[in-house]
Amino acid sequence: KSDSDTYTCDIGDAQSRAKLVVQETPVLFKKELQNEEAKEGKQVKLTCELSKPDTPVKWMKGGTVLYASEKYEFKQRGTVAELIIRDVKSVDS
């Protein structure tokens, strides 16, 4: 996308210009989240894989956005995004 711009070929007395528009490939899930079960007090990790590396991910529980804390940890390496939930309780279901 950052290559989108106007390009010029200059031969001194004349110029030719062209505009390049790069259409971004949509980000898709290569591997979606899977249902998990965990015992109370344990830790659980939810993982998904995206088609494009380092795509920003927003984690939510129901309709509420989650933020990094002692309870929630987010990791992202390349195309893999992980949510780690510590000390799970029944209210985390």
Side-chain angles (χ1 to χ4, degrees):
K1 185 79 177 166
S2 63
D3 291 322
S4 294
D5 208 336
T6 300
Y7 290 84
T8 305
C9 180
D10 190 329
I11 58 171
D13 294 335
Q15 294 180 338
S16 179
R17 295 175 195 236
K19 183 175 182 178
L20 172 64
V21 177
V22 178
Q23 297 175 346
E24 288 187 89
T25 304
V27 179
L28 304 171
F29 287 103
K30 288 174 70 175
K31 180 183 170 197
E32 295 197 11
L33 292 173
Q34 301 295 310
N35 293 336
E36 297 287 342
E37 288 188 22
K39 294 188 179 200
E40 269 192 318
K42 298 294 183 180
Q43 173 178 296
V44 68
K45 179 170 49 174
L46 301 176
T47 304
C48 63
E49 186 174 357
L50 311 168
S51 62
K52 196 172 184 181
D54 304 314
T55 300
V57 171
K58 176 171 48 174
W59 288 96
M60 301 174 74
K61 178 185 174 196
T64 304
V65 175
L66 300 176
Y67 295 96
S69 64
E70 289 184 20
K71 179 80 169 172
Y72 302 113
E73 180 182 353
F74 310 121
K75 291 185 179 181
Q76 192 164 357
R77 289 180 301 278
T79 59
V80 177
E82 297 176 338
L83 166 62
I84 298 166
I85 306 170
R86 294 185 188 89
D87 189 24
V88 295
K89 308 270 187 243
S90 60
V91 295
D92 294 316
S93 292

